[in-house]
Amino acid sequence: MRSNISTGEKHKPVFRSKYFEEPEEPVKKTNKVETPDPDADLHRKLTHAEVAGVAISAIMLVYSFATLDKPLFFLALSLLSHLLRPLIGALCGKYNRPVQNALRSFSIAIFFGALIILLV
Protein backbone atom coordinates (compact mmCIF):
# COMPACT_ATOMS: atom_id res chain seq x y z
CA MET A 1 0.00 0.00 0.00
CA ARG A 2 1.05 3.50 -0.68
CA SER A 3 0.81 6.28 1.79
CA ASN A 4 0.02 9.83 1.07
CA ILE A 5 2.90 11.81 2.54
CA SER A 6 0.98 15.05 2.89
CA THR A 7 -1.99 13.62 4.81
CA GLY A 8 -0.58 10.38 6.15
CA GLU A 9 -3.50 8.31 4.77
CA LYS A 10 -3.02 4.93 3.18
CA HIS A 11 -4.72 4.28 -0.15
CA LYS A 12 -5.76 0.82 -1.26
CA PRO A 13 -5.32 0.02 -4.92
CA VAL A 14 -8.61 -0.38 -6.76
CA PHE A 15 -8.97 -3.38 -9.02
CA ARG A 16 -11.85 -3.31 -11.44
CA SER A 17 -12.95 -5.80 -14.00
CA LYS A 18 -13.28 -4.62 -17.55
CA TYR A 19 -16.94 -5.67 -17.35
CA PHE A 20 -17.69 -3.59 -14.27
CA GLU A 21 -19.81 -0.54 -14.92
CA GLU A 22 -20.31 2.28 -12.50
CA PRO A 23 -23.94 2.94 -11.66
CA GLU A 24 -25.19 6.14 -13.22
CA GLU A 25 -27.14 7.16 -10.16
CA PRO A 26 -26.25 6.22 -6.61
CA VAL A 27 -28.50 3.59 -5.11
CA LYS A 28 -30.62 4.98 -2.33
CA LYS A 29 -30.73 2.81 0.75
CA THR A 30 -33.96 2.79 2.67
CA ASN A 31 -34.69 1.11 5.95
CA LYS A 32 -38.28 0.60 4.92
CA VAL A 33 -39.13 -3.10 4.60
CA GLU A 34 -41.88 -3.91 2.15
CA THR A 35 -44.53 -6.04 3.78
CA PRO A 36 -46.72 -8.27 1.65
CA ASP A 37 -50.26 -7.12 1.11
CA PRO A 38 -52.60 -9.22 3.30
CA ASP A 39 -55.33 -8.89 0.70
CA ALA A 40 -53.10 -9.83 -2.23
CA ASP A 41 -55.04 -13.02 -2.91
CA LEU A 42 -58.18 -10.94 -3.44
CA HIS A 43 -56.67 -8.97 -6.29
CA ARG A 44 -55.49 -11.93 -8.29
CA LYS A 45 -57.34 -14.07 -10.77
CA LEU A 46 -58.03 -17.76 -10.39
CA THR A 47 -55.28 -20.00 -11.70
CA HIS A 48 -55.91 -22.72 -14.26
CA ALA A 49 -55.71 -25.37 -11.55
CA GLU A 50 -58.31 -23.58 -9.43
CA VAL A 51 -60.65 -23.23 -12.39
CA ALA A 52 -60.23 -26.92 -13.17
CA GLY A 53 -60.90 -27.76 -9.52
CA VAL A 54 -64.07 -25.66 -9.54
CA ALA A 55 -65.27 -27.38 -12.72
CA ILE A 56 -64.57 -30.87 -11.39
CA SER A 57 -66.17 -30.19 -8.02
CA ALA A 58 -69.24 -28.70 -9.75
CA ILE A 59 -69.57 -31.84 -11.89
CA MET A 60 -69.18 -33.98 -8.75
CA LEU A 61 -71.86 -31.91 -7.02
CA VAL A 62 -74.36 -32.34 -9.87
CA TYR A 63 -73.60 -36.07 -10.16
CA SER A 64 -73.96 -36.68 -6.43
CA PHE A 65 -77.23 -34.73 -6.40
CA ALA A 66 -78.56 -36.82 -9.30
CA THR A 67 -77.58 -40.13 -7.69
CA LEU A 68 -78.56 -39.04 -4.15
CA ASP A 69 -75.09 -39.81 -2.80
CA LYS A 70 -74.93 -37.74 0.40
CA PRO A 71 -71.23 -38.16 1.31
CA LEU A 72 -70.08 -37.26 -2.20
CA PHE A 73 -72.48 -34.31 -2.25
CA PHE A 74 -71.04 -32.86 0.96
CA LEU A 75 -67.48 -33.59 -0.14
CA ALA A 76 -68.05 -31.76 -3.44
CA LEU A 77 -69.76 -28.88 -1.59
CA SER A 78 -66.79 -28.65 0.76
CA LEU A 79 -64.32 -28.56 -2.11
CA LEU A 80 -66.38 -26.03 -4.05
CA SER A 81 -66.74 -23.68 -1.07
CA HIS A 82 -63.01 -23.89 -0.41
CA LEU A 83 -62.06 -23.15 -4.03
CA LEU A 84 -64.50 -20.25 -4.42
CA ARG A 85 -63.37 -18.65 -1.14
CA PRO A 86 -61.29 -15.84 -2.75
CA LEU A 87 -64.10 -14.85 -5.13
CA ILE A 88 -66.81 -14.86 -2.48
CA GLY A 89 -64.56 -12.94 -0.10
CA ALA A 90 -63.88 -10.30 -2.75
CA LEU A 91 -67.61 -9.66 -3.08
CA CYS A 92 -67.94 -8.80 0.61
CA GLY A 93 -65.89 -5.59 0.53
CA LYS A 94 -64.24 -4.68 3.81
CA TYR A 95 -65.40 -7.91 5.45
CA ASN A 96 -63.48 -10.08 2.98
CA ARG A 97 -61.01 -11.57 5.47
CA PRO A 98 -63.64 -12.69 8.07
CA VAL A 99 -65.81 -14.11 5.29
CA GLN A 100 -62.88 -16.07 3.88
CA ASN A 101 -62.03 -17.41 7.34
CA ALA A 102 -65.65 -18.43 7.89
CA LEU A 103 -65.76 -20.20 4.51
CA ARG A 104 -62.55 -22.06 5.30
CA SER A 105 -63.98 -23.24 8.64
CA PHE A 106 -67.27 -24.13 6.95
CA SER A 107 -65.55 -26.22 4.28
CA ILE A 108 -63.47 -28.08 6.88
CA ALA A 109 -66.58 -28.80 8.97
CA ILE A 110 -68.49 -30.07 5.93
CA PHE A 111 -65.55 -32.27 4.93
CA PHE A 112 -65.43 -33.92 8.35
CA GLY A 113 -69.22 -34.24 8.29
CA ALA A 114 -68.98 -36.04 4.94
CA LEU A 115 -66.41 -38.42 6.40
CA ILE A 116 -68.67 -39.15 9.38
CA ILE A 117 -71.68 -39.78 7.10
CA LEU A 118 -69.54 -42.09 4.96
CA LEU A 119 -68.33 -44.16 7.91
CA VAL A 120 -71.68 -44.39 9.75
Side-chain angles (χ1 to χ4, degrees), residues 10-114:
K10 295 183 180 181
H11 295 281
K12 295 181 182 179
V14 177
F15 298 101
R16 297 199 189 271
S17 170
K18 65 179 182 178
Y19 301 107
F20 181 76
E21 295 180 7
E22 291 287 333
E24 294 178 8
E25 295 180 13
V27 179
K28 296 179 182 178
K29 293 185 179 181
T30 59
N31 293 336
K32 184 179 176 183
V33 177
E34 294 184 18
T35 57
D37 184 18
D39 297 328
D41 58 340
L42 297 177
H43 302 294
R44 67 174 178 81
K45 297 179 181 178
L46 290 177
T47 63
H48 293 292
E50 289 171 335
V51 171
V54 167
I56 291 172
S57 62
I59 291 170
M60 286 172 43
L61 189 68
V62 170
Y63 173 76
S64 63
F65 185 74
T67 60
L68 299 176
D69 189 4
K70 288 181 184 177
L72 184 61
F73 177 79
F74 286 117
L75 181 71
L77 185 65
S78 167
L79 182 61
L80 192 62
S81 66
H82 179 73
L83 289 173
L84 291 178
R85 185 176 45 87
L87 292 178
I88 295 171
L91 296 175
C92 296
K94 66 178 182 177
Y95 300 111
N96 57 12
R97 193 56 68 186
V99 168
Q100 285 188 3
N101 291 340
L103 280 173
R104 178 176 286 149
S105 302
F106 178 70
S107 66
I108 291 172
I110 289 180
F111 177 75
F112 285 126

